[in-house]
Amino acid sequence: LLFGERPFWWIGESRLFVNKQPKIHQFPSTCETGPGSPSGHAMVTAAVWWVIVSSLGSFLYSRSHSVLLSAAPYVLYVVMLVAVGISRIFILAHFPHQVVAGSITGFILGIVLSCRVPEGRPLLFFFSLSFGLLFGALMLHAGLKQLGIDLSWSIALAKKWCSHAEWIRLDTAPFSSLTRDCGALLGLGLAQYWKPGGWSLPWAPRALSMAVSSMGLYHVNRLPLPVRPLGLFYSLFFVKFVLVPLIVMVLVPGLVHLLTFKKKKD
Ligand SMILES: O=P(O)(O)OC[C@H]1O[C@@H](O)[C@H](O)[C@@H](O)[C@@H]1O
């Protein structure tokens, strides 16, 4: 809803450079299809890493009582955000203010959301939130279209100005982000429903679970999906992200628990 142009299409669309075209270079990750404001990469990085960094900072302080040591994760956090921001600007996916807006929004989200983990909620909570968001967005899209505002305006611009058609990826479209989040929400609810509180594992099986989950997610993420018809793509994309919390929270730790339990019995 904030819209926001992206440099890789704005350079052509603005018609400011018709007489003197700047020498620009696009990259495979330049051709994002969503609007540019605020930067999603900066926002997600700032939000997710805040949760990790603030816990690590408190942990280090509780063990060492050293302000210097406990400040190290926060310094790394800032360095990482700057690196992500510069890379988004460098590939022409963003203007600097969009990256700054994304980092600040993500930082606030990280603080707010880390205090509000939806623990102990019934499956119905996740189910209604997931489908409510999905249908709410669809209704908003249809309603605004009736008023002459097309929320998919950026996809046409990305297709027009991307130097390689194969760099346009449907999973960067705004509706893909939404289906991904709604799918993950439902998956989180199902995971909590099937294994409330998750598996409590000692550190070694827990580390093994994390390693196996990472490999599992890598492969789930690489699963090629048919891009036509669109409805099929979005449905499969939704299902793919329902699976993510189930793999990480139920399937892999459950298998590891079974294996270690069996080994102990032997
Ligand atoms: O706005 P940016 O930095 O180009 O990031 C866009 C990305 O933002 C993420 O938040 C979305 O989940 C992705 O689907 C999307 O591609």
Side-chain angles (χ1 to χ4, degrees), residues 6 32 35-36 38-42 44 88 93-94 171-173 176-177 180:
R6 290 189 186 261
E32 287 276 352
S39 160
H41 280 79
V44 171
R88 303 303 292 162
H94 285 292
D171 62 358
T172 68
S176 296
S177 306
R180 177 193 297 135

Side-chain angles (χ1 to χ4, degrees), residues 71-202:
Y74 295 96
V75 175
L76 273 177
Y77 176 74
V78 175
V79 171
M80 192 159 54
L81 277 182
V82 171
V84 169
I86 291 176
S87 74
R88 303 303 292 162
I89 297 164
F90 181 76
I91 64 167
L92 297 175
H94 285 292
F95 290 105
H97 69 280
Q98 301 171 336
V99 164
V100 173
S103 304
I104 295 174
T105 319
F107 170 64
I108 297 171
L109 271 176
I111 293 179
V112 173
L113 295 181
S114 56
C115 320
R116 288 166 199 258
V117 179
E119 267 174 317
R121 303 284 190 133
L123 180 57
L124 188 64
F125 169 82
F126 292 94
F127 187 85
S128 19
L129 215 61
S130 172
F131 285 98
L133 268 174
L134 209 55
F135 291 114
L138 278 177
M139 305 269 281
L140 186 71
H141 189 276
L144 287 177
K145 207 161 187 181
Q146 290 295 318
L147 296 174
I149 304 171
D150 182 11
L151 286 184
S152 306
W153 61 278
S154 56
I155 301 180
L157 287 181
K159 283 185 178 159
K160 183 173 166 193
W161 293 104
C162 184
S163 57
H164 292 67
E166 67 275 17
W167 288 351
I168 298 277
R169 292 190 349 260
L170 203 50
D171 62 358
T172 68
F175 200 64
S176 296
S177 306
L178 183 81
T179 21
R180 177 193 297 135
D181 294 347
C182 293
L185 251 175
L186 183 62
L188 193 61
L190 287 172
Q192 291 206 4
Y193 174 75
W194 277 319
K195 186 67 192 156
W199 295 94
S200 64
L201 298 172

Side-chain angles (χ1 to χ4, degrees), residues 1 66 68 86 92 106 115 162 213 221 263:
L1 284 175
S66 155
L68 210 66
I86 291 176
L92 297 175
C115 320
C162 184
S213 301
N221 206 32
K263 223 171 154 218

